[in-house]
């Protein structure tokens, strides 16, 4: 993850702009995910939508009808037992990438 710096040799760190990041760990279909939502432009609720998404560094396709990312259970079950990183970038609608 970029945007952080270590404060000591014990692993204590600080985020440069913590208000721009949110994340949560949770299980889906027996696999573990860490989801990070990034709002680099600090847009207010109602102004932004999902601009892009990636899992383990690979782009995910956003649905055409709205701004959801759908991962079929059959694909999730094929994943390794490691924690998988899902990143979601927020932005204005016209910035959306498919």
């Amino acid at each position: 993850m970029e945007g952080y710096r270590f404060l000591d040799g014990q692993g204590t760190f600080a985020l440069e702009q913590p208000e721009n990041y949110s994340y949560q760990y949770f299980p889906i279909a027996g696999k573990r995910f860490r989801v990070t939502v990034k709002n680099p432009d600090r847009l207010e609720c109602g102004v932004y939508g999902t601009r892009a998404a990636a899992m383990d560094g690979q782009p995910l396709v956003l649905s055409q009808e709205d701004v959801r990312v759908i991962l079929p259970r059959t694909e999730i079950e094929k994943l390794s037992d490691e924690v998988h990183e899902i990143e979601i970038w927020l932005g204005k609608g016209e910035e959306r990438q498919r």
Side-chain angles (χ1 to χ4, degrees):
M1 185 173 90
E2 58 189 54
Y4 69 94
R5 60 186 164 77
F6 286 102
L7 302 175
D8 58 31
Q10 304 298 313
T12 305
F13 66 93
L15 293 173
E16 292 175 3
Q17 294 179 312
E19 68 277 8
N20 291 346
Y21 298 92
S22 175
Y23 66 88
Q24 182 172 4
Y25 288 96
F26 58 92
I28 300 174
K31 304 299 179 182
R32 298 178 299 158
F33 296 87
R34 178 178 185 232
V35 177
T36 304
V37 178
K38 298 181 179 184
N39 184 2
D41 298 324
R42 299 177 68 182
L43 299 171
E44 295 292 328
C45 184
V47 174
Y48 61 77
T50 303
R51 183 176 67 193
M55 183 172 68
D56 297 332
Q58 298 300 314
L60 293 172
V61 176
L62 301 176
S63 64
Q64 296 294 320
E65 63 276 357
D66 56 25
V67 291
R68 294 184 296 168
V69 175
I70 300 172
L71 298 171
R73 183 180 184 94
T74 55
E75 294 301 314
I76 293 171
E77 290 172 343
K78 294 177 187 176
L79 296 172
S80 71
D81 290 333
E82 303 295 319
V83 175
H84 298 277
E85 300 282 335
I86 295 178
E87 297 175 287
I88 299 171
W89 289 269
L90 303 178
K92 293 185 178 178
E94 64 271 9
E95 298 172 352
R96 184 173 166 202
Q97 300 171 2
R98 292 190 197 328

